[in-house]
Amino acid sequence: MRNDTRSLPALFRLVVVVGALCGAAFVSPRAGATTQYGDVTISARQPADIRWAHGYLEYEVTISNTSPNKSHTVALRLPEASVGGGDSIRRMTRTVSVGPASATRVSLFQPALPCDGYGLGVSIDGRRQREQVPIEGISRRIGGWGGYGSAYDESTMVLVSRGAPGDFENEARPAFETGGRSSGRSSYYGGSTNDAQFPRAESPVAEWSTSWLGHSACDAVVMSGSEWRDAPAPVKAALRQYVECGGTLAVLGPADMPETWRARTTVQGDWTVTFAGFGVMLVTDPDQSARGWSSDKWRVLRDAVSETYEPFRSMESVEGANDHFPVVEGLRTPVKGLMVLMVLFVVAIGPVNLIVLSRMKRRIWLLWTVPAISLLTCTAVTVYAAVAEGWSGRARIATLTVLDQASHRATTVGWAAFYSPVTPRDGLHFSADTELTPQIGEGGGGYGYGYRSYDRGRGRPRDIDWTEDQHLANGWVSARVPVHFIVRASEMRRERLTVSMETDGTPVVVNGLGADIRRLWYAAPDGTIYSGSDIAAGAQARLAPSQRIVRGLPVEGLRKAYVQDWLPSMVSFESAPAQVLMPGCYIAVVDDLVFIEPGLRNAKTKDYKSVIYGILGEDSDEG
């Protein structure tokens, strides 16, 4: 998410405005629409009408202020006219201040939910503008979305850059249709990449998004080596974050990469495969045509695309998600208890009440005893619920983080769940670099998973605000209904574990992770694994050698953890560190949140767990 405001000389103001209006969007954007409101000119561009099954779509809005001495506060609402219902995005909003003679470009991100509507609504300095920025139609097509609920429609998306071979799409489509996926978890579910899309980017790489969320809807990005070499540093950093979050980047030509990535490189046929974070970067020789690619070369790319898509292949229902990652017990409706309560209420307010008043010869009192008994019953139920559950919410979050200490990037995947007896007024808050995928499938998918199917007749429309952070404002959490998300995040962070060696070869660590470490394993350069426990934040500790040693060179270990169910993967990291540790790396288990926000700010009951896979190295400015 960007907010790049620049003060400009008046003589160049017109040039800036025209240049700003040429701002780019991502994933084959449609032409931008522009509307002028006095000093303020607003241009909006939206993604193409594609099917996407996960990640966020980015809408770029450029705001130009030609006033030489007055700032303006601009509030954006997308869509201005929402016509959707059920589980959907009702509105995305953002407020931004634009200084005199300057321009700013901001983004609104749409999570993977339908969003029906039209027009970008604008308020300037608190005044709602009558005229909208004429956006043709908000992107609404998600795999499985057919307008009124539909069967699950699996589809992966491979973005092809301008510089990739011109026949790539034509050659890739049959290669993907005939191949499916050859290995991995998807084979258990019969999944494939047969229904892949290959949109061609209309913008040059230099104008691509500088936020990794802008690439998060892609299951792969294909580009030439020269495009990768010449990409601006912010775009290249965003693509690296996308890869580390599980993405696939295929470069056709020479490609530079961070030094910490090089240690996880192998060769598969015509590809040099580098495992980076949870993702993979594929590099091959430059090609002017994809016609001569072998089936094995297509297979490597196809498998990588399928692996990136794997965590989003199916979606849990609300009940299934709570069974898989419980945040509240006894989610089922207590039908028997409610029936007993209703019978007792009916008996008390009817026969018992009438008999008692008859014996007292006060039947006229029915006028006040009936409402009084009803009020007393409602009060008793409310008090019981308050005593049993209280008024504060519950939060449970479990994450697996790859912390590249050299580049200061922390990449996190995991689950987050929330439950509140009353609807939280402030909703949920996360950083603008966090991808959230709500688990609201309808069930019936088998193997404990539900279909990704949305029904306009069920669920709730949701609002999201991007002004200060990612604020899930309305519709995301309802009283007494648990909500679950699978989470991916990538941020620049300075937390680290410092390791030094004493003269006898014993490693000594300083806990700079900002939270107490419950368990720690560190793999020394010779492969010996040392361990420690209960290391307070900021404290120093000597590690003891364990009986474990690093097993081989598990360069793909983190990628396997991404493709599999993330929760068991966290358990395996803690129970079998030797299977994933590489020399110079560590695993720290923390019973707290380190690299993701708590979401529900007033949660009283908290159950947090962070598993951190740290990669040591010299500081660099690669991020």
Side-chain angles (χ1 to χ4, degrees), residues 26-27 52-58 109-112 157 159 209 211-221 238-239 241-243 245-248 308-309 312 432-437 466 488-489 562:
F26 190 54
V27 190
W52 90 108
H54 64 89
Y56 287 30
L57 290 187
E58 183 175 10
F109 293 97
Q110 177 187 342
M157 184 173 66
L159 179 72
S209 178
S211 168
W212 89 269
L213 285 184
H215 309 276
S216 60
C218 301
D219 296 296
V221 176
L239 287 170
Q241 288 179 281
Y242 158 75
V243 171
C245 284
T248 296
T308 293
Y309 181 66
F312 309 98
D433 293 314
T434 301
E435 174 200 272
L436 300 160
T437 304
W466 292 94
R488 294 194 298 175
Y562 171 86

Short mmCIF file of all heavy atoms in Angstrom, two decimals, residues 26-27 52-58 109-112 157 159 209 211-221 238-239 241-243 245-248 308-309 312 432-437 466 488-489 562:
data_model
loop_
_atom_site.label_atom_id
_atom_site.label_comp_id
_atom_site.label_asym_id
_atom_site.label_seq_id
_atom_site.Cartn_x
_atom_site.Cartn_y
_atom_site.Cartn_z
N PHE A 26 -2.48 -3.33 -11.74
CA PHE A 26 -1.85 -4.62 -11.90
C PHE A 26 -2.87 -5.64 -12.37
O PHE A 26 -4.05 -5.39 -12.36
CB PHE A 26 -1.23 -5.02 -10.56
CG PHE A 26 -0.36 -6.21 -10.65
CD1 PHE A 26 0.69 -6.25 -11.55
CD2 PHE A 26 -0.59 -7.30 -9.84
CE1 PHE A 26 1.51 -7.35 -11.62
CE2 PHE A 26 0.23 -8.41 -9.91
CZ PHE A 26 1.29 -8.43 -10.80
N VAL A 27 -2.42 -6.79 -12.79
CA VAL A 27 -3.25 -7.86 -13.31
C VAL A 27 -4.13 -7.34 -14.44
O VAL A 27 -5.35 -7.27 -14.33
CB VAL A 27 -4.11 -8.51 -12.21
CG1 VAL A 27 -4.76 -9.77 -12.75
CG2 VAL A 27 -3.26 -8.85 -11.01
N TRP A 52 -10.54 -15.15 -9.66
CA TRP A 52 -9.44 -15.38 -8.74
C TRP A 52 -10.00 -16.02 -7.49
O TRP A 52 -11.16 -15.82 -7.12
CB TRP A 52 -8.70 -14.08 -8.45
CG TRP A 52 -9.18 -13.28 -7.29
CD1 TRP A 52 -8.55 -13.12 -6.10
CD2 TRP A 52 -10.36 -12.46 -7.21
NE1 TRP A 52 -9.27 -12.27 -5.28
CE2 TRP A 52 -10.38 -11.86 -5.93
CE3 TRP A 52 -11.41 -12.20 -8.09
CZ2 TRP A 52 -11.39 -11.02 -5.52
CZ3 TRP A 52 -12.44 -11.36 -7.68
CH2 TRP A 52 -12.41 -10.79 -6.42
N ALA A 53 -9.19 -16.86 -6.86
CA ALA A 53 -9.69 -17.69 -5.78
C ALA A 53 -9.11 -17.33 -4.42
O ALA A 53 -9.58 -17.80 -3.41
CB ALA A 53 -9.41 -19.16 -6.08
N HIS A 54 -8.09 -16.49 -4.42
CA HIS A 54 -7.46 -16.12 -3.15
C HIS A 54 -6.70 -14.82 -3.38
O HIS A 54 -6.55 -14.34 -4.51
CB HIS A 54 -6.52 -17.22 -2.67
CG HIS A 54 -5.37 -17.46 -3.59
ND1 HIS A 54 -4.17 -16.78 -3.47
CD2 HIS A 54 -5.21 -18.28 -4.66
CE1 HIS A 54 -3.35 -17.18 -4.41
NE2 HIS A 54 -3.95 -18.10 -5.15
N GLY A 55 -6.18 -14.29 -2.31
CA GLY A 55 -5.41 -13.05 -2.43
C GLY A 55 -6.31 -11.84 -2.58
O GLY A 55 -7.53 -11.92 -2.46
N TYR A 56 -5.67 -10.70 -2.84
CA TYR A 56 -6.38 -9.43 -2.92
C TYR A 56 -6.25 -8.86 -4.33
O TYR A 56 -5.22 -9.02 -4.97
CB TYR A 56 -5.79 -8.42 -1.93
CG TYR A 56 -6.12 -8.67 -0.47
CD1 TYR A 56 -6.34 -9.96 0.02
CD2 TYR A 56 -6.22 -7.62 0.42
CE1 TYR A 56 -6.63 -10.18 1.35
CE2 TYR A 56 -6.51 -7.83 1.76
CZ TYR A 56 -6.71 -9.11 2.22
OH TYR A 56 -7.00 -9.32 3.55
N LEU A 57 -7.29 -8.17 -4.77
CA LEU A 57 -7.21 -7.39 -6.00
C LEU A 57 -6.99 -5.92 -5.63
O LEU A 57 -7.57 -5.42 -4.68
CB LEU A 57 -8.50 -7.53 -6.81
CG LEU A 57 -8.76 -8.90 -7.45
CD1 LEU A 57 -9.98 -8.82 -8.36
CD2 LEU A 57 -7.55 -9.39 -8.24
N GLU A 58 -6.16 -5.27 -6.43
CA GLU A 58 -5.77 -3.90 -6.11
C GLU A 58 -6.46 -2.90 -7.03
O GLU A 58 -6.41 -3.04 -8.25
CB GLU A 58 -4.25 -3.76 -6.23
CG GLU A 58 -3.73 -2.38 -5.85
CD GLU A 58 -2.21 -2.32 -5.87
OE1 GLU A 58 -1.57 -3.28 -6.35
OE2 GLU A 58 -1.65 -1.31 -5.41
N PHE A 109 -7.67 -2.50 -1.51
CA PHE A 109 -7.52 -3.93 -1.80
C PHE A 109 -8.82 -4.65 -1.48
O PHE A 109 -9.39 -4.47 -0.41
CB PHE A 109 -6.38 -4.53 -0.97
CG PHE A 109 -5.02 -4.01 -1.35
CD1 PHE A 109 -4.44 -2.98 -0.62
CD2 PHE A 109 -4.34 -4.54 -2.43
CE1 PHE A 109 -3.18 -2.50 -0.96
CE2 PHE A 109 -3.09 -4.07 -2.78
CZ PHE A 109 -2.51 -3.05 -2.05
N GLN A 110 -9.25 -5.48 -2.42
CA GLN A 110 -10.47 -6.27 -2.24
C GLN A 110 -10.09 -7.69 -1.87
O GLN A 110 -9.46 -8.40 -2.65
CB GLN A 110 -11.29 -6.29 -3.53
CG GLN A 110 -12.54 -7.15 -3.43
CD GLN A 110 -13.26 -7.29 -4.77
OE1 GLN A 110 -13.04 -6.50 -5.68
NE2 GLN A 110 -14.13 -8.28 -4.89
N PRO A 111 -10.47 -8.14 -0.65
CA PRO A 111 -10.23 -9.55 -0.30
C PRO A 111 -11.01 -10.48 -1.21
O PRO A 111 -11.85 -10.04 -2.00
CB PRO A 111 -10.72 -9.63 1.15
CG PRO A 111 -10.78 -8.22 1.64
CD PRO A 111 -11.09 -7.39 0.43
N ALA A 112 -10.74 -11.76 -1.07
CA ALA A 112 -11.35 -12.75 -1.97
C ALA A 112 -12.79 -13.03 -1.60
O ALA A 112 -13.17 -14.13 -1.18
CB ALA A 112 -10.53 -14.04 -1.94
N MET A 157 -4.25 -18.85 -11.55
CA MET A 157 -3.98 -17.68 -12.38
C MET A 157 -2.47 -17.47 -12.49
O MET A 157 -1.78 -17.35 -11.48
CB MET A 157 -4.64 -16.44 -11.82
CG MET A 157 -4.45 -15.23 -12.71
SD MET A 157 -5.39 -13.79 -12.17
CE MET A 157 -4.59 -13.41 -10.63
N LEU A 159 0.14 -14.87 -14.13
CA LEU A 159 0.30 -13.56 -14.79
C LEU A 159 1.52 -13.62 -15.70
O LEU A 159 2.61 -14.01 -15.28
CB LEU A 159 0.48 -12.46 -13.76
CG LEU A 159 0.67 -11.07 -14.38
CD1 LEU A 159 -0.63 -10.56 -14.96
CD2 LEU A 159 1.23 -10.10 -13.37
N SER A 209 2.71 -3.14 -9.10
CA SER A 209 2.47 -2.78 -7.71
C SER A 209 3.73 -2.91 -6.87
O SER A 209 4.55 -3.81 -7.07
CB SER A 209 1.38 -3.67 -7.13
OG SER A 209 1.15 -3.36 -5.78
N SER A 211 3.29 -3.22 -3.60
CA SER A 211 2.79 -3.96 -2.44
C SER A 211 2.66 -5.43 -2.81
O SER A 211 2.12 -5.76 -3.87
CB SER A 211 1.43 -3.42 -2.00
OG SER A 211 0.83 -4.30 -1.06
N TRP A 212 3.12 -6.30 -1.94
CA TRP A 212 3.02 -7.73 -2.27
C TRP A 212 1.57 -8.17 -2.36
O TRP A 212 1.25 -9.10 -3.10
CB TRP A 212 3.80 -8.57 -1.26
CG TRP A 212 3.01 -9.01 -0.05
CD1 TRP A 212 2.89 -8.36 1.14
CD2 TRP A 212 2.22 -10.21 0.06
NE1 TRP A 212 2.08 -9.08 1.99
CE2 TRP A 212 1.67 -10.20 1.35
CE3 TRP A 212 1.95 -11.27 -0.79
CZ2 TRP A 212 0.84 -11.23 1.81
CZ3 TRP A 212 1.11 -12.29 -0.35
CH2 TRP A 212 0.57 -12.26 0.93
N LEU A 213 0.66 -7.46 -1.67
CA LEU A 213 -0.75 -7.80 -1.76
C LEU A 213 -1.26 -7.63 -3.19
O LEU A 213 -2.19 -8.31 -3.61
CB LEU A 213 -1.58 -6.94 -0.81
CG LEU A 213 -1.52 -7.27 0.68
CD1 LEU A 213 -2.48 -6.38 1.45
CD2 LEU A 213 -1.85 -8.74 0.92
N GLY A 214 -0.66 -6.70 -3.94
CA GLY A 214 -1.06 -6.50 -5.32
C GLY A 214 -0.74 -7.69 -6.20
O GLY A 214 -1.27 -7.81 -7.31
N HIS A 215 0.13 -8.59 -5.76
CA HIS A 215 0.48 -9.80 -6.51
C HIS A 215 -0.13 -11.05 -5.89
O HIS A 215 0.02 -12.15 -6.43
CB HIS A 215 2.00 -9.96 -6.55
CG HIS A 215 2.74 -8.73 -6.99
ND1 HIS A 215 2.94 -8.40 -8.31
CD2 HIS A 215 3.29 -7.72 -6.27
CE1 HIS A 215 3.60 -7.26 -8.40
NE2 HIS A 215 3.82 -6.82 -7.18
N SER A 216 -0.78 -10.91 -4.72
CA SER A 216 -1.16 -12.08 -3.94
C SER A 216 -2.21 -12.94 -4.61
O SER A 216 -2.36 -14.12 -4.26
CB SER A 216 -1.66 -11.64 -2.55
OG SER A 216 -2.79 -10.78 -2.68
N ALA A 217 -2.97 -12.40 -5.57
CA ALA A 217 -3.99 -13.21 -6.25
C ALA A 217 -3.39 -14.13 -7.31
O ALA A 217 -4.07 -15.00 -7.83
CB ALA A 217 -5.04 -12.30 -6.89
N CYS A 218 -2.10 -13.93 -7.63
CA CYS A 218 -1.46 -14.73 -8.68
C CYS A 218 -0.91 -16.03 -8.08
O CYS A 218 -0.34 -16.04 -6.99
CB CYS A 218 -0.30 -13.96 -9.31
SG CYS A 218 -0.79 -12.39 -10.06
N ASP A 219 -1.05 -17.11 -8.84
CA ASP A 219 -0.42 -18.37 -8.45
C ASP A 219 0.96 -18.49 -9.07
O ASP A 219 1.73 -19.38 -8.69
CB ASP A 219 -1.30 -19.54 -8.86
CG ASP A 219 -2.63 -19.50 -8.11
OD1 ASP A 219 -2.62 -19.63 -6.88
OD2 ASP A 219 -3.68 -19.31 -8.77
N ALA A 220 1.27 -17.65 -10.02
CA ALA A 220 2.63 -17.55 -10.57
C ALA A 220 2.73 -16.25 -11.37
O ALA A 220 1.73 -15.74 -11.88
CB ALA A 220 2.96 -18.74 -11.46
N VAL A 221 3.94 -15.74 -11.42
CA VAL A 221 4.25 -14.57 -12.25
C VAL A 221 5.39 -15.00 -13.18
O VAL A 221 6.41 -15.51 -12.71
CB VAL A 221 4.67 -13.36 -11.41
CG1 VAL A 221 5.09 -12.20 -12.31
CG2 VAL A 221 3.55 -12.94 -10.48
N ALA A 238 8.62 -6.10 -3.71
CA ALA A 238 7.26 -6.65 -3.56
C ALA A 238 7.17 -8.05 -4.13
O ALA A 238 6.51 -8.93 -3.56
CB ALA A 238 6.25 -5.72 -4.25
N LEU A 239 7.83 -8.29 -5.27
CA LEU A 239 7.81 -9.64 -5.86
C LEU A 239 8.56 -10.63 -4.97
O LEU A 239 8.17 -11.80 -4.87
CB LEU A 239 8.41 -9.60 -7.26
CG LEU A 239 7.52 -8.94 -8.33
CD1 LEU A 239 8.29 -8.73 -9.63
CD2 LEU A 239 6.28 -9.79 -8.60
N GLN A 241 8.74 -10.44 -1.72
CA GLN A 241 7.81 -10.72 -0.61
C GLN A 241 6.73 -11.70 -1.06
O GLN A 241 6.35 -12.60 -0.31
CB GLN A 241 7.16 -9.41 -0.13
CG GLN A 241 8.10 -8.51 0.64
CD GLN A 241 7.39 -7.23 1.06
OE1 GLN A 241 7.21 -6.32 0.28
NE2 GLN A 241 6.96 -7.18 2.31
N TYR A 242 6.24 -11.50 -2.28
CA TYR A 242 5.23 -12.42 -2.83
C TYR A 242 5.77 -13.85 -2.87
O TYR A 242 5.08 -14.80 -2.49
CB TYR A 242 4.83 -11.93 -4.22
CG TYR A 242 4.24 -12.99 -5.11
CD1 TYR A 242 2.93 -13.45 -4.92
CD2 TYR A 242 4.98 -13.55 -6.15
CE1 TYR A 242 2.40 -14.44 -5.73
CE2 TYR A 242 4.45 -14.53 -6.97
CZ TYR A 242 3.16 -14.98 -6.76
OH TYR A 242 2.64 -15.96 -7.56
N VAL A 243 7.01 -14.01 -3.32
CA VAL A 243 7.61 -15.34 -3.37
C VAL A 243 7.73 -15.91 -1.95
O VAL A 243 7.35 -17.06 -1.69
CB VAL A 243 8.99 -15.28 -4.05
CG1 VAL A 243 9.72 -16.62 -3.89
CG2 VAL A 243 8.83 -14.95 -5.52
N CYS A 245 6.02 -15.42 0.56
CA CYS A 245 4.71 -15.75 1.12
C CYS A 245 4.10 -16.98 0.45
O CYS A 245 2.93 -17.31 0.71
CB CYS A 245 3.76 -14.57 0.98
SG CYS A 245 4.06 -13.25 2.17
N GLY A 246 4.86 -17.66 -0.40
CA GLY A 246 4.36 -18.88 -1.03
C GLY A 246 4.19 -18.78 -2.52
O GLY A 246 3.78 -19.77 -3.15
N GLY A 247 4.46 -17.63 -3.12
CA GLY A 247 4.25 -17.44 -4.54
C GLY A 247 5.29 -18.14 -5.40
O GLY A 247 6.31 -18.64 -4.92
N THR A 248 5.01 -18.15 -6.71
CA THR A 248 5.92 -18.72 -7.70
C THR A 248 6.32 -17.63 -8.68
O THR A 248 5.44 -16.99 -9.29
CB THR A 248 5.25 -19.87 -8.45
OG1 THR A 248 4.97 -20.94 -7.54
CG2 THR A 248 6.15 -20.40 -9.57
N THR A 308 1.51 -23.32 -5.02
CA THR A 308 1.14 -21.99 -4.52
C THR A 308 -0.35 -21.91 -4.24
O THR A 308 -0.80 -21.29 -3.26
CB THR A 308 1.56 -20.92 -5.54
OG1 THR A 308 2.98 -20.87 -5.61
CG2 THR A 308 1.02 -19.55 -5.16
N TYR A 309 -1.14 -22.57 -5.07
CA TYR A 309 -2.60 -22.54 -4.94
C TYR A 309 -3.12 -23.47 -3.84
O TYR A 309 -4.22 -23.28 -3.33
CB TYR A 309 -3.21 -22.95 -6.27
CG TYR A 309 -4.71 -22.95 -6.33
CD1 TYR A 309 -5.43 -21.76 -6.21
CD2 TYR A 309 -5.41 -24.13 -6.49
CE1 TYR A 309 -6.81 -21.76 -6.26
CE2 TYR A 309 -6.80 -24.14 -6.54
CZ TYR A 309 -7.48 -22.95 -6.44
OH TYR A 309 -8.85 -22.95 -6.49
N PHE A 312 -5.32 -22.78 -0.73
CA PHE A 312 -6.60 -22.13 -1.00
C PHE A 312 -7.51 -23.02 -1.84
O PHE A 312 -8.54 -22.56 -2.33
CB PHE A 312 -6.36 -20.80 -1.71
CG PHE A 312 -5.36 -19.94 -1.01
CD1 PHE A 312 -4.02 -19.91 -1.42
CD2 PHE A 312 -5.72 -19.18 0.09
CE1 PHE A 312 -3.09 -19.13 -0.77
CE2 PHE A 312 -4.79 -18.40 0.75
CZ PHE A 312 -3.47 -18.38 0.32
N ALA A 432 -1.51 -3.46 6.96
CA ALA A 432 -1.84 -3.36 5.53
C ALA A 432 -1.04 -4.33 4.69
O ALA A 432 -1.21 -4.38 3.47
CB ALA A 432 -1.61 -1.94 5.04
N ASP A 433 -0.15 -5.12 5.29
CA ASP A 433 0.63 -6.12 4.57
C ASP A 433 0.17 -7.54 4.88
O ASP A 433 0.88 -8.49 4.61
CB ASP A 433 2.12 -5.98 4.93
CG ASP A 433 2.71 -4.69 4.41
OD1 ASP A 433 2.44 -4.36 3.25
OD2 ASP A 433 3.43 -4.02 5.17
N THR A 434 -1.01 -7.66 5.46
CA THR A 434 -1.53 -8.97 5.86
C THR A 434 -2.66 -9.40 4.94
O THR A 434 -3.60 -8.63 4.71
CB THR A 434 -2.03 -8.94 7.31
OG1 THR A 434 -0.95 -8.56 8.17
CG2 THR A 434 -2.55 -10.30 7.74
N GLU A 435 -2.57 -10.61 4.44
CA GLU A 435 -3.65 -11.18 3.62
C GLU A 435 -4.51 -12.07 4.51
O GLU A 435 -3.98 -12.94 5.21
CB GLU A 435 -3.05 -12.01 2.47
CG GLU A 435 -4.09 -12.76 1.65
CD GLU A 435 -3.45 -13.91 0.87
OE1 GLU A 435 -2.99 -13.66 -0.25
OE2 GLU A 435 -3.41 -15.04 1.40
N LEU A 436 -5.81 -11.86 4.46
CA LEU A 436 -6.75 -12.63 5.28
C LEU A 436 -7.75 -13.33 4.37
O LEU A 436 -8.37 -12.70 3.52
CB LEU A 436 -7.51 -11.69 6.23
CG LEU A 436 -6.63 -10.90 7.20
CD1 LEU A 436 -7.38 -9.68 7.72
CD2 LEU A 436 -6.20 -11.78 8.35
N THR A 437 -7.89 -14.62 4.56
CA THR A 437 -8.86 -15.39 3.78
C THR A 437 -9.88 -15.98 4.75
O THR A 437 -9.58 -16.91 5.50
CB THR A 437 -8.17 -16.53 3.01
OG1 THR A 437 -7.14 -15.99 2.18
CG2 THR A 437 -9.17 -17.27 2.14
N TRP A 466 -9.04 1.17 4.77
CA TRP A 466 -7.59 1.10 4.59
C TRP A 466 -6.91 2.41 4.99
O TRP A 466 -5.77 2.66 4.61
CB TRP A 466 -7.26 0.78 3.13
CG TRP A 466 -7.68 -0.58 2.71
CD1 TRP A 466 -8.85 -0.94 2.11
CD2 TRP A 466 -6.93 -1.79 2.89
NE1 TRP A 466 -8.88 -2.29 1.89
CE2 TRP A 466 -7.71 -2.85 2.35
CE3 TRP A 466 -5.68 -2.09 3.43
CZ2 TRP A 466 -7.28 -4.18 2.36
CZ3 TRP A 466 -5.25 -3.41 3.42
CH2 TRP A 466 -6.04 -4.43 2.89
N ARG A 488 -1.65 -14.77 5.69
CA ARG A 488 -0.29 -14.64 5.17
C ARG A 488 0.13 -13.18 5.37
O ARG A 488 -0.67 -12.26 5.16
CB ARG A 488 -0.19 -14.99 3.68
CG ARG A 488 -0.46 -16.43 3.37
CD ARG A 488 -0.02 -16.80 1.94
NE ARG A 488 -0.73 -16.05 0.92
CZ ARG A 488 -0.44 -16.12 -0.38
NH1 ARG A 488 0.55 -16.90 -0.80
NH2 ARG A 488 -1.14 -15.43 -1.27
N ALA A 489 1.38 -12.97 5.75
CA ALA A 489 1.85 -11.60 6.00
C ALA A 489 3.33 -11.51 5.69
O ALA A 489 4.08 -12.48 5.86
CB ALA A 489 1.57 -11.18 7.44
N TYR A 562 4.41 -25.21 3.62
CA TYR A 562 3.38 -24.33 3.05
C TYR A 562 2.32 -25.14 2.32
O TYR A 562 1.12 -24.85 2.43
CB TYR A 562 4.06 -23.35 2.09
CG TYR A 562 3.09 -22.52 1.27
CD1 TYR A 562 2.56 -21.34 1.79
CD2 TYR A 562 2.71 -22.92 -0.01
CE1 TYR A 562 1.67 -20.57 1.04
CE2 TYR A 562 1.82 -22.16 -0.76
CZ TYR A 562 1.31 -20.99 -0.24
OH TYR A 562 0.43 -20.25 -0.98
#
